Amino acid sequence: MQPAISVIVPAYHAAATLPRCLDSLLGQTLREMEILVIDDGSPDASAAIAEEYAKKDPRVRVVHQQNAGQGAARNHGIREARGEYIGFMDSDDYAAPEMYETLYRAVQETGAKIAICQEINVEIGSDGAARELGGTQFPGPDVAVYGAAQIRDWFLNYTYVFFNNVWNKLIHRSILAGEGIFPEEHRYAEDMVASARMFARTEEVALVSRGLYYYVRDT
């Protein structure tokens, strides 16, 4: 089955959180998806955990590479992805069950090449329970389309800080075409550079005013 979307999950020192992340992806209401775990040469059990998930569910694929950083892992995932749309998730975060179906409907119904949802910041207590800390609030109705000029203004002025990240987005693969949309020469803030490049390549973006991505804060 050709997946509608591919979700790329870089994994490095992720053994403690990867199961929660993958469980949330396998529990998505959108079934036509593949989950690409990019093992970034992790020295812990991340790769073994991902391989166990792949044995149980054919939607999970594991790709191994020598340690090269998250940007390189994401670029590798883009090259491997089969979906028309691509999403990214960090291995210590998780998603609401309807996240990717909601974003996929947004791009299908509006014709936008990128859809972005709100995030919910959480911290995980010692008992494993999640405590919500709030999150971004977009303007407008449940789904609204904004032109590139407005999106870039918000991005450049940090109006919505999480525009800088890629994990709350669903992106048409044509926006990611070419070599290395994520910079690989440094190991931090590659999201911001990649997001700027994505926004420069699209005319419209759909904003989904719902908190669907759970961003886990370090405690």
Side-chain angles (χ1 to χ4, degrees), residues 29-30 34-35 38 44 51 59 67 72 74 78 89 100 106 129 133 150 158 173 197 201 203 206 211:
T29 55
L30 179 69
E34 68 170 351
I35 302 156
I38 312 299
D44 69 355
E51 293 287 3
R59 292 176 295 165
N67 178 249
R74 286 169 168 168
I78 292 168
M89 179 165 285
Y100 284 104
L133 304 174
Q150 179 65 80
Y158 292 90
R173 64 181 306 118
R197 291 170 174 170
R201 296 178 179 182
E203 296 303 318

Side-chain angles (χ1 to χ4, degrees), residues 85 106 128 148:
Y85 292 87

Side-chain angles (χ1 to χ4, degrees), residues 21-204:
C21 173
L22 295 180
D23 287 341
S24 79
L25 290 174
L26 291 174
Q28 291 292 300
T29 55
L30 179 69
R31 304 296 294 175
E32 297 80 18
M33 62 185 294
E34 68 170 351
I35 302 156
L36 286 169
V37 182
I38 312 299
D39 165 37
D40 188 28
S42 185
D44 69 355
S46 297
I49 291 170
E51 293 287 3
E52 284 301 311
Y53 272 83
K55 289 178 184 177
K56 297 175 184 177
D57 195 310
R59 292 176 295 165
V60 179
R61 286 201 289 143
V62 186
V63 178
H64 303 278
Q65 68 175 33
Q66 293 184 341
N67 178 249
Q70 188 161 248
R74 286 169 168 168
N75 286 334
H76 196 165
I78 292 168
R79 293 191 295 270
E80 294 282 343
R82 297 177 297 179
E84 182 181 4
Y85 292 87
I86 295 175
F88 302 91
M89 179 165 285
D90 286 354
S91 58
D92 53 347
D93 297 335
Y94 58 101
E98 69 275 21
M99 174 177 167
Y100 284 104
E101 181 175 9
T102 302
L103 291 177
Y104 185 63
R105 283 184 177 177
V107 294
Q108 291 290 298
E109 293 173 2
T110 66
K113 296 292 187 181
I114 299 174
I116 308 175
C117 69
Q118 296 172 175
E119 94 294 342
I120 299 173
N121 297 288
V122 299
E123 65 177 14
I124 308 297
S126 57
D127 60 353
R131 182 170 70 94
E132 294 189 9
L133 304 174
T136 300
Q137 296 294 316
F138 290 152
D142 186 37
V143 179
V145 177
Y146 295 88
Q150 179 65 80
I151 293 294
R152 291 166 194 157
D153 177 72
W154 284 334
F155 173 75
L156 294 171
N157 288 288
Y158 292 90
T159 305
Y160 302 108
V161 175
F162 285 96
F163 270 21
N164 297 341
N165 298 286
V166 296
W167 35 249
N168 57 346
K169 298 180 174 74
L170 187 64
I171 308 125
H172 193 273
R173 64 181 306 118
S174 63
I175 300 295
L176 304 172
E179 278 300 313
I181 195 166
F182 289 91
E184 300 183 13
E185 62 273 13
H186 52 80
R187 299 294 181 100
Y188 301 98
E190 75 282 348
D191 282 41
M192 183 180 295
V193 176
S195 293
R197 291 170 174 170
M198 292 176 199
F199 291 145
R201 296 178 179 182
T202 189
E203 296 303 318
E204 293 182 328

